[in-house]
Amino acid sequence: MKIISTISDLRRELAAFRSRGERIGLVPTMGALHEGHLTLVRRSLAQTDRTVVSIFVNPKQFGPGEDFARYPRNLKADSELLSASGADIVFAPEVDEMYPAGFSLSVTVAGVSNGMEGARRPGHFTGVATVVTRLFCLVLPDAAFFGEKDGQQLAVIQRLATDLGLPLTIVPVPTVREADGLALSSRNLYLSPGEREKAPHLYRSLLTGAELFAKGCREASEILVAVRASLENEPSFRLDALDLVDLETMEPLTLLDRPAMLAMAAFLGKTRLIDNVRLR
Ligand code: AMP
């Protein structure tokens, strides 16, 4: 496995793969890798010939007061995990390699970015779409792998890829969870042991909604009330957002007559956890 930090080295390696007709998979990450990321890597290894994992804590997708400075960074441990998994290239550029002086591109995917996390974290999805566009152009992957855990991000990227018209498949990967249901996340590292014990309650509350749906309930308001009530059973959580939206457009639904996503964000202490389930 090669660890590369410059675009010129990356291009050289990729050209060698392409000259042999090898298909390239891209797994974009911000590092602090866990089994969720590694599942994306394994999907890429299975579906393509060469796997590039990018590790870049993207300043453009963090708002003022968010955790950019304290976001966990550990390139050495990440590289060891990736090497053991069989990835071919780790692309870990510095900020000024990704965004050289004068960088002025800003990619906004309207509509799907506007609600939910987009409304609560202004500029977040523009930061995500800008870095992902740049990665797509640098790597020109045949397939790129994204987790369903970040549900709105996935919808934004699917729209982005369609609208850019790149010959690229976006592969959604189901959320990887701990045995107790907690979705794996780099931000779980921020939880105290006591908070960690309570954290799976977020997913259990989402499942309350999924169970109602499975029993035939199609009223969004009924499901939202039940999920909120369930979360409130654990007073350590502070609900930040609860949404039931069209899986593709991310627009709020009142009637569940099409594939939907039930998504929640809640604070446990200072840590903001997000999770979602698909209803279809
Ligand atoms: P991040 O490093 O948090 O930007 O995540 C990089 C990629 O890994 C994104 O596509 C995430 O959606 C995905 N990911 C993060 N956590 C999980 C998880 N628990 N299960 C599946 N994919 C995940």
Side-chain angles (χ1 to χ4, degrees):
M1 187 185 78
K2 295 219 161 97
I3 303 172
I4 291 176
S5 61
T6 67
I7 291 167
S8 54
D9 286 352
L10 177 69
R11 289 226 163 94
R12 191 171 324 115
E13 294 296 326
L14 293 173
F17 296 158
R18 268 192 213 100
S19 70
R20 296 193 288 266
E22 293 171 337
R23 282 172 45 86
I24 294 166
L26 172 66
V27 180
T29 81
M30 298 204 300
L33 301 183
H34 51 63
E35 200 43 44
H37 300 109
L38 296 178
T39 302
L40 269 59
V41 171
R42 284 192 289 268
R43 283 291 292 276
S44 175
L45 289 166
Q47 294 187 18
T48 67
D49 303 308
R50 295 288 181 174
T51 293
V52 179
V53 180
S54 61
I55 297 183
F56 181 62
V57 184
N58 174 30
K60 289 189 189 291
Q61 71 188 69
F62 288 79
E66 291 187 1
D67 55 349
F68 175 68
R70 69 173 186 135
Y71 196 85
R73 291 161 170 90
N74 194 341
L75 184 58
K76 189 165 177 290
D78 288 346
S79 302
E80 281 166 11
L81 284 173
L82 290 172
S83 173
S85 76
D88 296 278
I89 291 183
V90 175
F91 178 52
E94 296 293 336
V95 171
D96 57 4
E97 184 75 1
M98 278 306 265
Y99 303 128
F103 186 92
S104 306
L105 180 71
S106 175
V107 180
T108 295
V109 185
V112 64
S113 297
N114 292 348
M116 301 198 292
E117 291 292 283
R120 292 181 291 268
R121 303 178 65 189
H124 172 67
F125 287 120
T126 292
V128 170
T130 302
V131 79
V132 169
T133 301
R134 184 137 166 83
L135 286 168
F136 283 173
C137 292
L138 296 175
V139 176
L140 296 173
D142 297 281
F145 299 78
F146 293 89
E148 289 181 352
K149 151 120 193 321
D150 301 284
Q152 189 176 11
Q153 169 173 286
L154 175 60
V156 168
I157 285 161
Q158 280 171 323
R159 188 74 250 167
L160 172 74
T162 303
D163 292 358
L164 283 173
L166 292 172
L168 152 76
T169 308
I170 302 297
V171 182
V173 179
T175 302
V176 179
R177 300 180 180 282
E178 304 278 8
D180 60 11
L182 176 65
L184 298 188
S185 165
S186 310
R187 290 191 169 100
N188 295 350
L189 295 171
Y190 300 152
L191 299 172
S192 70
E195 289 167 348
R196 172 62 191 83
E197 249 178 57
K198 291 174 178 143
H201 188 70
L202 183 86
Y203 179 54
R204 283 200 291 273
S205 301
L206 287 171
L207 288 183
T208 311
E211 281 156 20
L212 265 180
F213 179 79
K215 283 187 192 144
C217 175
R218 292 295 177 266
E219 289 293 332
S221 57
E222 254 179 70
I223 292 180
L224 291 170
V225 165
V227 174
R228 180 185 289 267
S230 167
L231 190 79
E232 283 168 359
N233 285 333
E234 177 46 78
S236 308
F237 272 105
R238 185 163 57 79
L239 183 63
D240 191 37
L242 178 60
D243 298 279
L244 193 34
V245 294
D246 180 306
L247 190 55
E248 194 181 312
T249 65
M250 297 284 118
E251 278 170 11
L253 291 174
T254 48
L255 189 66
L256 298 178
D257 57 356
R258 66 199 80 177
M261 178 177 82
L262 174 61
M264 182 148 62
F267 283 96
L268 191 52
K270 287 202 175 93
T271 306
R272 187 172 184 272
L273 299 176
I274 62 166
D275 201 350
N276 68 74
V277 294
R278 269 122 229 274
L279 307 179
R280 40 172 135 215

